[in-house]
Coordinates of all heavy atoms in Angstrom, one line a residue:
M18 N -3.2 3.7 -16.9 CA -3.9 3.4 -15.7 C -3.5 4.4 -14.6 O -2.4 4.6 -14.4 CB -3.6 1.9 -15.3 CG -4.2 1.6 -13.9 SD -3.9 -0.1 -13.4 CE -2.1 -0.2 -13.3
T19 N -4.5 4.9 -14.0 CA -4.3 5.8 -12.8 C -4.3 5.0 -11.5 O -4.8 3.8 -11.5 CB -5.3 6.9 -12.7 OG1 -6.6 6.3 -12.3 CG2 -5.4 7.7 -14.0
I20 N -3.8 5.6 -10.5 CA -3.9 4.8 -9.2 C -5.3 4.6 -8.8 O -5.6 3.6 -8.1 CB -3.0 5.5 -8.1 CG1 -2.9 4.6 -6.9 CG2 -3.7 6.9 -7.7 CD1 -1.6 4.6 -6.2
D21 N -6.2 5.5 -9.1 CA -7.6 5.3 -8.8 C -8.2 4.2 -9.6 O -9.1 3.4 -9.1 CB -8.4 6.6 -9.0 CG -7.9 7.7 -8.0 OD1 -7.5 7.3 -6.9 OD2 -8.1 8.9 -8.3
D22 N -7.8 4.1 -10.9 CA -8.3 2.9 -11.7 C -7.8 1.6 -11.0 O -8.6 0.6 -11.0 CB -7.7 3.0 -13.1 CG -8.3 4.2 -13.9 OD1 -9.4 4.7 -13.6 OD2 -7.6 4.6 -14.8
Y23 N -6.5 1.6 -10.6 CA -6.0 0.4 -10.0 C -6.7 0.1 -8.7 O -7.1 -1.1 -8.5 CB -4.5 0.6 -9.7 CG -3.8 -0.5 -9.0 CD1 -3.4 -1.7 -9.7 CD2 -3.7 -0.5 -7.6 CE1 -2.8 -2.7 -9.1 CE2 -3.1 -1.6 -7.0 CZ -2.7 -2.7 -7.7 OH -2.1 -3.8 -7.0
A24 N -7.0 1.1 -8.0 CA -7.8 0.9 -6.7 C -9.2 0.3 -6.9 O -9.6 -0.6 -6.2 CB -7.9 2.2 -5.9
D25 N -9.8 0.8 -8.0 CA -11.2 0.2 -8.3 C -11.0 -1.3 -8.6 O -11.9 -2.1 -8.1 CB -11.8 1.0 -9.5 CG -12.2 2.4 -9.2 OD1 -12.3 2.7 -8.0 OD2 -12.4 3.2 -10.1
W26 N -10.0 -1.6 -9.3 CA -9.8 -3.0 -9.7 C -9.5 -3.8 -8.4 O -10.1 -4.9 -8.1 CB -8.7 -3.2 -10.7 CG -8.2 -4.6 -10.9 CD1 -8.8 -5.5 -11.6 CD2 -7.1 -5.2 -10.2 NE1 -8.1 -6.7 -11.5 CE2 -7.0 -6.5 -10.6 CE3 -6.1 -4.7 -9.3 CZ2 -6.0 -7.4 -10.2 CZ3 -5.1 -5.5 -8.9 CH2 -5.1 -6.9 -9.3
A27 N -8.5 -3.3 -7.6 CA -8.0 -4.0 -6.4 C -9.2 -4.2 -5.4 O -9.3 -5.2 -4.8 CB -6.9 -3.3 -5.8
A28 N -10.0 -3.1 -5.2 CA -11.1 -3.2 -4.3 C -12.1 -4.3 -4.7 O -12.7 -4.9 -3.8 CB -11.7 -1.8 -4.1
T29 N -12.3 -4.4 -6.0 CA -13.2 -5.5 -6.5 C -12.6 -6.8 -6.2 O -13.3 -7.7 -5.7 CB -13.5 -5.3 -8.0 OG1 -14.0 -4.0 -8.2 CG2 -14.4 -6.4 -8.5
V30 N -11.4 -7.0 -6.5 CA -10.7 -8.3 -6.3 C -10.7 -8.7 -4.8 O -11.0 -9.8 -4.4 CB -9.3 -8.3 -6.8 CG1 -8.5 -9.5 -6.4 CG2 -9.3 -8.1 -8.4
A31 N -10.5 -7.6 -4.0 CA -10.3 -7.9 -2.5 C -11.7 -7.9 -1.8 O -11.8 -8.0 -0.6 CB -9.4 -6.8 -1.9
K32 N -12.8 -7.7 -2.6 CA -14.1 -7.6 -2.1 C -14.3 -6.6 -0.9 O -14.8 -6.9 0.1 CB -14.5 -9.0 -1.6 CG -14.6 -10.1 -2.7 CD -14.9 -11.4 -2.1 CE -15.1 -12.5 -3.2 NZ -14.0 -12.7 -4.1
V33 N -13.8 -5.4 -1.2 CA -13.9 -4.3 -0.2 C -15.3 -3.8 -0.2 O -15.8 -3.5 -1.3 CB -12.9 -3.2 -0.6 CG1 -13.0 -2.0 0.4 CG2 -11.4 -3.7 -0.5
T34 N -15.9 -3.6 0.9 CA -17.2 -3.1 1.0 C -17.2 -1.8 1.8 O -16.2 -1.5 2.5 CB -18.1 -4.1 1.8 OG1 -17.6 -4.3 3.1 CG2 -18.3 -5.4 1.1
R35 N -18.2 -1.0 1.6 CA -18.3 0.3 2.3 C -19.6 0.3 3.1 O -20.7 0.1 2.5 CB -18.3 1.5 1.3 CG -17.0 1.8 0.7 CD -16.1 2.6 1.6 NE -16.8 3.8 2.0 CZ -16.8 4.3 3.2 NH1 -16.1 3.7 4.2 NH2 -17.4 5.4 3.4
P36 N -19.6 0.4 4.4 CA -18.4 0.5 5.2 C -17.8 -0.9 5.3 O -18.5 -1.9 5.1 CB -18.9 0.9 6.6 CG -20.3 0.4 6.7 CD -20.8 0.5 5.2
P37 N -16.5 -1.0 5.6 CA -15.8 -2.3 5.7 C -16.2 -3.0 7.0 O -16.5 -2.3 8.0 CB -14.4 -1.9 5.6 CG -14.3 -0.6 6.2 CD -15.6 0.2 5.8
T38 N -16.2 -4.3 6.9 CA -16.4 -5.0 8.2 C -15.1 -4.9 8.9 O -14.0 -4.7 8.3 CB -16.7 -6.5 7.9 OG1 -15.6 -7.1 7.2 CG2 -18.0 -6.6 7.1
S39 N -15.1 -5.1 10.2 CA -13.9 -5.1 11.0 C -13.0 -6.2 10.6 O -11.8 -6.0 10.5 CB -14.3 -5.3 12.5 OG -15.0 -4.2 13.0
E40 N -13.6 -7.3 10.2 CA -12.7 -8.5 9.7 C -12.0 -8.1 8.4 O -10.8 -8.4 8.3 CB -13.6 -9.7 9.5 CG -14.1 -10.3 10.8 CD -15.4 -9.6 11.4 OE1 -15.9 -8.7 10.7 OE2 -15.8 -9.9 12.5
R41 N -12.7 -7.5 7.5 CA -12.1 -7.1 6.2 C -11.0 -6.1 6.4 O -9.9 -6.1 5.8 CB -13.1 -6.6 5.2 CG -12.7 -6.8 3.8 CD -12.7 -8.3 3.5 NE -12.1 -8.6 2.2 CZ -11.4 -9.7 2.0 NH1 -11.3 -10.6 2.9 NH2 -10.9 -9.9 0.8
L42 N -11.3 -5.1 7.3 CA -10.3 -4.0 7.6 C -9.1 -4.6 8.2 O -8.0 -4.2 7.9 CB -11.0 -3.0 8.5 CG -10.3 -1.6 8.5 CD1 -10.3 -0.9 7.1 CD2 -11.1 -0.7 9.5
S43 N -9.3 -5.6 9.1 CA -8.2 -6.2 9.8 C -7.4 -7.0 8.8 O -6.1 -7.0 8.8 CB -8.7 -7.2 10.9 OG -9.4 -6.4 11.9
Y44 N -8.1 -7.7 7.9 CA -7.4 -8.5 6.9 C -6.5 -7.6 6.0 O -5.3 -7.9 5.8 CB -8.4 -9.3 6.0 CG -7.8 -9.9 4.8 CD1 -7.1 -11.2 5.0 CD2 -7.8 -9.3 3.6 CE1 -6.6 -11.8 3.9 CE2 -7.3 -10.0 2.5 CZ -6.6 -11.2 2.6 OH -6.1 -11.8 1.5
L45 N -7.1 -6.5 5.6 CA -6.3 -5.6 4.7 C -5.2 -4.9 5.5 O -4.1 -4.8 4.9 CB -7.3 -4.5 4.2 CG -8.4 -5.0 3.2 CD1 -9.3 -3.9 2.9 CD2 -7.8 -5.6 2.0
G46 N -5.4 -4.5 6.7 CA -4.3 -3.9 7.5 C -3.2 -4.9 7.8 O -2.0 -4.6 7.7
L47 N -3.5 -6.1 8.1 CA -2.5 -7.2 8.3 C -1.8 -7.5 7.0 O -0.6 -7.7 7.0 CB -3.1 -8.4 8.9 CG -3.6 -8.3 10.3 CD1 -4.5 -9.5 10.7 CD2 -2.4 -8.1 11.3
G48 N -2.5 -7.4 5.9 CA -1.9 -7.6 4.6 C -0.9 -6.6 4.3 O 0.2 -6.8 3.8
L49 N -1.2 -5.3 4.6 CA -0.3 -4.2 4.4 C 0.9 -4.4 5.3 O 2.1 -4.2 4.8 CB -1.0 -2.9 4.7 CG -0.2 -1.6 4.6 CD1 0.3 -1.4 3.1 CD2 -0.9 -0.4 5.1
A50 N 0.7 -4.7 6.5 CA 1.9 -4.9 7.4 C 2.7 -6.1 6.9 O 4.0 -6.0 7.0 CB 1.4 -5.2 8.8
G51 N 2.1 -7.1 6.5 CA 2.9 -8.3 6.0 C 3.7 -8.0 4.8 O 4.9 -8.3 4.7
E52 N 3.1 -7.3 3.8 CA 3.8 -6.9 2.6 C 4.9 -5.9 2.9 O 6.0 -6.0 2.3 CB 2.9 -6.4 1.5 CG 1.9 -7.5 1.1 CD 2.5 -8.7 0.5 OE1 3.6 -8.7 0.1 OE2 1.7 -9.7 0.4
S53 N 4.7 -5.0 3.8 CA 5.7 -4.1 4.3 C 6.9 -4.8 4.9 O 8.0 -4.5 4.7 CB 5.1 -3.0 5.3 OG 4.1 -2.3 4.6
G54 N 6.6 -5.8 5.6 CA 7.6 -6.7 6.2 C 8.4 -7.4 5.1 O 9.6 -7.6 5.3
E55 N 7.8 -7.8 4.1 CA 8.5 -8.4 3.0 C 9.5 -7.4 2.3 O 10.6 -7.8 1.9 CB 7.5 -9.0 1.9 CG 6.8 -10.2 2.5 CD 5.9 -10.9 1.5 OE1 6.4 -11.1 0.4 OE2 4.8 -11.2 1.8
V56 N 9.1 -6.2 2.2 CA 10.0 -5.1 1.7 C 11.2 -5.0 2.7 O 12.3 -4.9 2.3 CB 9.3 -3.8 1.5 CG1 10.3 -2.7 1.2 CG2 8.2 -3.9 0.4
A57 N 10.9 -4.9 4.0 CA 11.9 -4.8 5.0 C 12.9 -5.9 4.9 O 14.1 -5.8 5.2 CB 11.3 -4.6 6.4
E58 N 12.3 -7.1 4.6 CA 13.2 -8.3 4.6 C 14.3 -8.2 3.5 O 15.4 -8.6 3.7 CB 12.3 -9.5 4.3 CG 13.1 -10.9 4.3 CD 13.6 -11.3 5.6 OE1 13.1 -10.8 6.7 OE2 14.4 -12.2 5.7
H59 N 13.9 -7.6 2.4 CA 14.8 -7.4 1.3 C 15.9 -6.4 1.7 O 17.1 -6.6 1.4 CB 14.1 -6.8 0.0 CG 13.4 -7.9 -0.7 ND1 14.1 -8.9 -1.5 CD2 12.1 -8.2 -0.8 CE1 13.2 -9.7 -2.0 NE2 12.0 -9.3 -1.7
I60 N 15.5 -5.4 2.5 CA 16.5 -4.4 2.9 C 17.4 -5.0 4.0 O 18.6 -4.8 4.0 CB 15.8 -3.2 3.5 CG1 15.0 -2.5 2.4 CG2 16.8 -2.2 4.2 CD1 14.0 -1.4 2.9
K61 N 16.8 -5.9 4.8 CA 17.7 -6.6 5.8 C 18.7 -7.5 5.1 O 19.9 -7.5 5.5 CB 16.8 -7.5 6.7 CG 17.5 -8.3 7.8 CD 16.8 -9.5 8.3 CE 17.0 -10.6 7.3 NZ 16.4 -11.9 7.7
K62 N 18.3 -8.2 4.0 CA 19.2 -9.0 3.3 C 20.3 -8.2 2.6 O 21.4 -8.7 2.5 CB 18.5 -9.9 2.3 CG 17.6 -11.0 2.9 CD 16.9 -11.8 1.9 CE 16.1 -12.9 2.6 NZ 15.2 -13.6 1.6
L63 N 20.0 -7.0 2.2 CA 21.0 -6.1 1.7 C 22.0 -5.8 2.7 O 23.3 -5.8 2.5 CB 20.3 -4.8 1.2 CG 21.3 -3.7 0.8 CD1 22.2 -4.1 -0.4 CD2 20.6 -2.4 0.5
L64 N 21.6 -5.5 4.0 CA 22.6 -5.2 5.0 C 23.4 -6.5 5.4 O 24.6 -6.4 5.7 CB 21.8 -4.7 6.3 CG 21.1 -3.4 6.1 CD1 20.3 -3.0 7.3 CD2 22.1 -2.3 5.8
R65 N 22.7 -7.6 5.4 CA 23.4 -8.9 5.8 C 24.3 -9.4 4.8 O 25.4 -9.8 5.0 CB 22.3 -9.9 6.2 CG 22.9 -11.2 6.7 CD 21.8 -12.3 6.9 NE 21.3 -12.7 5.6 CZ 20.2 -13.4 5.4 NH1 19.5 -13.8 6.4 NH2 19.9 -13.7 4.1
D66 N 23.8 -9.4 3.5 CA 24.5 -10.1 2.4 C 25.2 -9.2 1.5 O 26.0 -9.6 0.6 CB 23.6 -11.0 1.7 CG 22.8 -12.0 2.6 OD1 23.4 -12.4 3.6 OD2 21.7 -12.4 2.2
G67 N 24.8 -7.9 1.5 CA 25.4 -6.9 0.6 C 24.8 -7.0 -0.8 O 25.3 -6.4 -1.8
T68 N 23.7 -7.7 -1.0 CA 23.0 -7.8 -2.3 C 21.5 -7.4 -2.1 O 20.9 -7.7 -1.1 CB 23.1 -9.2 -2.9 OG1 22.5 -10.1 -2.0 CG2 24.6 -9.6 -3.2
L69 N 21.0 -6.8 -3.2 CA 19.6 -6.5 -3.2 C 19.0 -7.0 -4.5 O 19.4 -6.7 -5.6 CB 19.5 -4.9 -3.2 CG 18.0 -4.4 -3.2 CD1 17.2 -4.8 -2.0 CD2 18.1 -2.9 -3.3
D70 N 17.9 -7.8 -4.3 CA 17.1 -8.3 -5.5 C 16.1 -7.2 -5.8 O 15.0 -7.2 -5.2 CB 16.5 -9.6 -5.1 CG 15.8 -10.2 -6.3 OD1 15.4 -9.5 -7.3 OD2 15.5 -11.4 -6.3
Q71 N 16.5 -6.3 -6.6 CA 15.6 -5.1 -6.9 C 14.3 -5.5 -7.5 O 13.2 -4.9 -7.2 CB 16.3 -4.1 -7.8 CG 17.5 -3.4 -7.1 CD 18.1 -2.3 -7.9 OE1 17.4 -1.7 -8.7 NE2 19.4 -2.0 -7.6
A72 N 14.3 -6.5 -8.4 CA 13.0 -6.9 -9.0 C 12.1 -7.5 -8.0 O 10.9 -7.2 -8.0 CB 13.3 -7.9 -10.1
A73 N 12.6 -8.3 -7.1 CA 11.8 -9.0 -6.1 C 11.2 -7.9 -5.1 O 10.1 -8.0 -4.7 CB 12.5 -10.0 -5.4
M74 N 12.1 -6.9 -4.8 CA 11.6 -5.9 -3.9 C 10.6 -5.0 -4.5 O 9.6 -4.6 -3.9 CB 12.8 -5.0 -3.4 CG 12.4 -4.0 -2.4 SD 13.9 -3.2 -1.7 CE 13.2 -1.7 -1.0
A75 N 10.7 -4.7 -5.8 CA 9.7 -3.9 -6.5 C 8.4 -4.7 -6.6 O 7.3 -4.1 -6.4 CB 10.2 -3.6 -8.0
E76 N 8.5 -6.0 -6.7 CA 7.2 -6.8 -6.7 C 6.5 -6.7 -5.3 O 5.3 -6.5 -5.3 CB 7.5 -8.3 -7.0 CG 6.3 -9.1 -7.1 CD 6.7 -10.6 -7.5 OE1 7.5 -10.8 -8.4 OE2 6.1 -11.5 -6.8
E77 N 7.3 -6.7 -4.3 CA 6.7 -6.5 -2.9 C 6.1 -5.1 -2.8 O 5.1 -4.9 -2.1 CB 7.8 -6.8 -1.8 CG 8.3 -8.2 -1.9 CD 7.3 -9.3 -1.8 OE1 6.1 -9.0 -1.4 OE2 7.6 -10.4 -2.2
L78 N 6.8 -4.1 -3.3 CA 6.2 -2.8 -3.3 C 4.8 -2.7 -4.0 O 3.9 -2.0 -3.5 CB 7.2 -1.7 -3.9 CG 8.5 -1.5 -3.1 CD1 9.4 -0.7 -3.9 CD2 8.2 -0.8 -1.8
G79 N 4.7 -3.5 -5.0 CA 3.4 -3.6 -5.7 C 2.4 -4.2 -4.7 O 1.2 -3.8 -4.7
D80 N 2.8 -5.2 -4.0 CA 1.9 -5.9 -3.0 C 1.5 -4.9 -1.9 O 0.3 -4.9 -1.5 CB 2.6 -7.1 -2.4 CG 2.8 -8.2 -3.4 OD1 2.3 -8.2 -4.5 OD2 3.6 -9.1 -3.1
V81 N 2.4 -4.1 -1.5 CA 2.1 -3.0 -0.5 C 1.1 -2.1 -1.0 O 0.1 -1.8 -0.3 CB 3.4 -2.2 -0.1 CG1 3.0 -1.0 0.6 CG2 4.4 -3.1 0.7
V82 N 1.2 -1.7 -2.3 CA 0.3 -0.7 -2.9 C -1.1 -1.4 -3.0 O -2.1 -0.7 -2.8 CB 0.8 -0.2 -4.2 CG1 -0.3 0.5 -5.0 CG2 2.0 0.7 -4.0
Y83 N -1.2 -2.7 -3.3 CA -2.4 -3.3 -3.4 C -3.2 -3.2 -2.1 O -4.4 -2.8 -2.1 CB -2.2 -4.8 -3.7 CG -3.4 -5.7 -3.7 CD1 -4.3 -5.7 -4.7 CD2 -3.7 -6.5 -2.6 CE1 -5.5 -6.5 -4.7 CE2 -4.8 -7.2 -2.5 CZ -5.7 -7.3 -3.6 OH -6.9 -8.0 -3.5
Y84 N -2.6 -3.5 -1.0 CA -3.3 -3.4 0.3 C -3.6 -2.0 0.7 O -4.6 -1.6 1.2 CB -2.6 -4.2 1.4 CG -2.7 -5.6 1.3 CD1 -1.6 -6.4 0.8 CD2 -3.9 -6.3 1.6 CE1 -1.8 -7.8 0.6 CE2 -4.0 -7.7 1.5 CZ -3.0 -8.4 1.0 OH -3.1 -9.8 0.8
W85 N -2.6 -1.1 0.3 CA -2.8 0.3 0.7 C -4.0 0.9 -0.1 O -4.8 1.6 0.5 CB -1.5 1.1 0.3 CG -1.6 2.5 0.6 CD1 -1.5 3.1 1.8 CD2 -1.9 3.6 -0.3 NE1 -1.7 4.5 1.7 CE2 -1.9 4.8 0.4 CE3 -2.1 3.6 -1.7 CZ2 -2.2 6.0 -0.2 CZ3 -2.4 4.8 -2.3 CH2 -2.4 6.0 -1.6
V86 N -4.1 0.7 -1.4 CA -5.3 1.2 -2.1 C -6.6 0.6 -1.6 O -7.6 1.3 -1.6 CB -5.1 1.1 -3.6 CG1 -3.9 1.8 -4.2 CG2 -5.2 -0.4 -4.1
C87 N -6.6 -0.7 -1.3 CA -7.8 -1.3 -0.7 C -8.2 -0.6 0.6 O -9.4 -0.4 0.8 CB -7.6 -2.8 -0.5 SG -7.5 -3.7 -2.0
L88 N -7.2 -0.3 1.4 CA -7.6 0.4 2.7 C -8.1 1.8 2.4 O -9.1 2.3 3.0 CB -6.4 0.5 3.6 CG -6.0 -0.8 4.3 CD1 -4.6 -0.8 4.9 CD2 -7.1 -1.1 5.4
C89 N -7.6 2.5 1.4 CA -8.1 3.8 1.0 C -9.6 3.7 0.6 O -10.4 4.5 1.1 CB -7.3 4.4 -0.2 SG -5.6 5.0 0.2
V90 N -9.9 2.7 -0.3 CA -11.2 2.5 -0.7 C -12.1 2.1 0.4 O -13.3 2.6 0.5 CB -11.3 1.4 -1.8 CG1 -12.7 1.1 -2.2 CG2 -10.5 1.9 -3.1
A91 N -11.6 1.3 1.3 CA -12.4 0.9 2.5 C -12.8 2.1 3.4 O -13.9 2.1 4.0 CB -11.7 -0.1 3.3
L92 N -12.0 3.1 3.4 CA -12.3 4.3 4.1 C -13.0 5.4 3.3 O -13.3 6.5 3.8 CB -10.9 4.9 4.6 CG -10.1 4.1 5.6 CD1 -8.9 4.8 6.0 CD2 -11.0 3.7 6.8
G93 N -13.4 5.0 2.1 CA -14.1 5.9 1.2 C -13.3 7.0 0.6 O -13.8 8.1 0.3
R94 N -12.0 6.8 0.5 CA -11.1 7.8 0.0 C -10.5 7.3 -1.3 O -10.1 6.1 -1.5 CB -9.9 8.1 0.9 CG -10.3 8.5 2.3 CD -10.8 9.9 2.3 NE -10.8 10.5 3.6 CZ -11.7 10.3 4.6 NH1 -12.7 9.5 4.4 NH2 -11.6 11.0 5.7
K95 N -10.3 8.2 -2.3 CA -9.6 7.9 -3.5 C -8.1 8.0 -3.2 O -7.7 9.0 -2.6 CB -9.9 8.9 -4.6 CG -11.3 8.8 -5.2 CD -11.5 9.7 -6.4 CE -12.8 9.3 -7.1 NZ -12.8 9.6 -8.5
P96 N -7.3 7.0 -3.6 CA -5.9 7.1 -3.4 C -5.3 8.4 -3.9 O -4.4 8.9 -3.2 CB -5.4 5.8 -4.1 CG -6.5 4.9 -4.1 CD -7.8 5.7 -4.2
S97 N -5.7 8.9 -5.0 CA -5.1 10.1 -5.5 C -5.3 11.3 -4.6 O -4.5 12.1 -4.4 CB -5.7 10.4 -6.9 OG -7.1 10.7 -6.8
E98 N -6.5 11.3 -3.9 CA -6.8 12.3 -2.9 C -5.9 12.1 -1.7 O -5.4 13.1 -1.1 CB -8.2 12.3 -2.5 CG -9.1 12.7 -3.7 CD -10.6 12.4 -3.4 OE1 -11.0 11.8 -2.4 OE2 -11.4 12.8 -4.3
V99 N -5.7 10.9 -1.3 CA -4.8 10.7 -0.1 C -3.4 11.1 -0.4 O -2.7 11.7 0.4 CB -4.9 9.2 0.3 CG1 -3.8 8.8 1.4 CG2 -6.3 8.8 0.7
L100 N -2.9 10.8 -1.7 CA -1.6 11.2 -2.1 C -1.5 12.7 -2.1 O -0.4 13.3 -1.7 CB -1.2 10.6 -3.4 CG -1.1 9.1 -3.4 CD1 -0.9 8.6 -4.8 CD2 0.1 8.7 -2.5
T101 N -2.5 13.4 -2.6 CA -2.5 14.9 -2.7 C -2.4 15.5 -1.3 O -1.6 16.4 -1.1 CB -3.7 15.4 -3.4 OG1 -3.7 14.9 -4.8 CG2 -3.8 16.9 -3.5
A102 N -3.2 14.9 -0.4 CA -3.1 15.4 1.0 C -1.8 15.1 1.6 O -1.3 16.0 2.4 CB -4.3 14.7 1.8
S103 N -1.2 14.0 1.4 CA 0.1 13.6 1.9 C 1.2 14.6 1.4 O 2.0 15.1 2.2 CB 0.5 12.2 1.5 OG 1.8 11.9 1.9
R104 N 1.1 14.9 0.1 CA 2.1 15.8 -0.5 C 2.0 17.2 0.1 O 3.0 17.8 0.5 CB 1.8 15.9 -2.0 CG 2.8 16.8 -2.7 CD 2.5 16.8 -4.2 NE 3.4 17.7 -4.9 CZ 3.5 17.7 -6.2 NH1 2.8 16.9 -7.0 NH2 4.3 18.6 -6.8
A105 N 0.7 17.6 0.3 CA 0.5 18.9 1.0 C 1.1 19.0 2.4 O 1.7 19.9 2.8 CB -1.0 19.3 0.9
K106 N 0.8 17.9 3.1 CA 1.3 17.8 4.5 C 2.8 17.8 4.6 O 3.4 18.6 5.4 CB 0.7 16.5 5.2 CG 1.1 16.4 6.7 CD 0.4 15.2 7.3 CE 1.3 14.0 7.2 NZ 0.7 12.9 7.9
I107 N 3.4 17.0 3.8 CA 4.9 17.0 3.8 C 5.5 18.3 3.3 O 6.5 18.8 3.8 CB 5.4 15.8 2.9 CG1 5.0 14.5 3.6 CG2 6.9 15.8 2.7 CD1 5.2 13.2 2.8
S108 N 4.9 18.9 2.2 CA 5.4 20.2 1.7 C 5.3 21.2 2.8 O 6.2 22.0 2.9 CB 4.6 20.6 0.5 OG 4.8 19.7 -0.6
A109 N 4.2 21.2 3.5 CA 4.1 22.2 4.6 C 5.1 22.0 5.7 O 5.7 23.0 6.2 CB 2.7 22.1 5.2
R110 N 5.4 20.8 6.0 CA 6.4 20.5 7.0 C 7.8 21.0 6.5 O 8.6 21.5 7.3 CB 6.5 19.0 7.2 CG 7.3 18.6 8.4 CD 7.4 17.0 8.5 NE 6.0 16.5 8.6 CZ 5.8 15.2 8.2 NH1 6.7 14.4 7.7 NH2 4.5 14.8 8.2
L111 N 8.1 20.8 5.2 CA 9.4 21.2 4.7 C 9.6 22.7 4.7 O 10.7 23.2 4.6 CB 9.6 20.7 3.3 CG 9.7 19.1 3.2 CD1 9.7 18.7 1.7 CD2 10.9 18.6 4.0
T112 N 8.5 23.5 4.6 CA 8.6 25.0 4.6 C 8.6 25.6 5.9 O 8.7 26.8 6.1 CB 7.4 25.5 3.7 OG1 6.2 25.2 4.3 CG2 7.5 25.1 2.3
Q113 N 8.5 24.8 7.0 CA 8.5 25.4 8.3 C 9.9 25.7 8.8 O 10.9 25.1 8.4 CB 7.9 24.4 9.3 CG 6.4 24.2 9.1 CD 5.8 23.1 10.1 OE1 6.5 22.4 10.8 NE2 4.5 23.1 10.1
Ligands
MG210 MG1 4.4 -10.1 -1.3

């Protein structure tokens, strides 16, 4: 499975439309923020308790990707293209 295959599936499940409604875009953005917060919570617990539930954190990272790919699709972008552009941007920054 490629990330674009996953995005096609996720966008269908999440009922992503093009163009997205403001409500759907908000829902997806809040979902991304919420799941990112769940990842941050695991890191906070690592600092507080000294333990990290790696399996649970990896599950939350999957939830982050779900909302992230849906937002890519909502904007009419293939996740693989967004990743390629991100890699180019970061690589250019590193060579400065
Ligand atoms: Mg979650």
Side-chain angles (χ1 to χ4, degrees):
M18 174 178 63
T19 68
I20 191 140
D21 293 333
D22 293 336
Y23 177 82
D25 290 342
W26 168 81
T29 300
V30 170
K32 298 178 175 55
V33 175
T34 59
R35 286 277 306 134
T38 63
S39 295
E40 289 81 7
R41 204 70 189 149
L42 201 57
S43 298
Y44 172 80
L45 295 171
L47 290 169
L49 178 63
E52 297 300 342
S53 298
E55 292 188 44
V56 171
E58 183 71 15
H59 283 286
I60 297 168
K61 183 202 78 180
K62 287 178 179 174
L63 171 63
L64 295 175
R65 185 189 66 194
D66 305 332
T68 59
L69 177 63
D70 185 340
Q71 293 188 24
M74 185 169 160
E76 185 176 316
E77 299 306 339
L78 289 170
D80 293 346
V81 167
V82 169
Y83 172 80
Y84 285 105
W85 180 80
V86 297
C87 286
L88 284 165
C89 289
V90 172
L92 297 179
R94 303 289 199 280
K95 287 188 172 208
S97 62
E98 294 169 351
V99 173
L100 292 173
T101 297
S103 172
R104 181 177 177 169
K106 184 174 93 175
I107 293 169
S108 292
R110 189 183 308 151
L111 294 175
T112 58
Q113 290 178 349

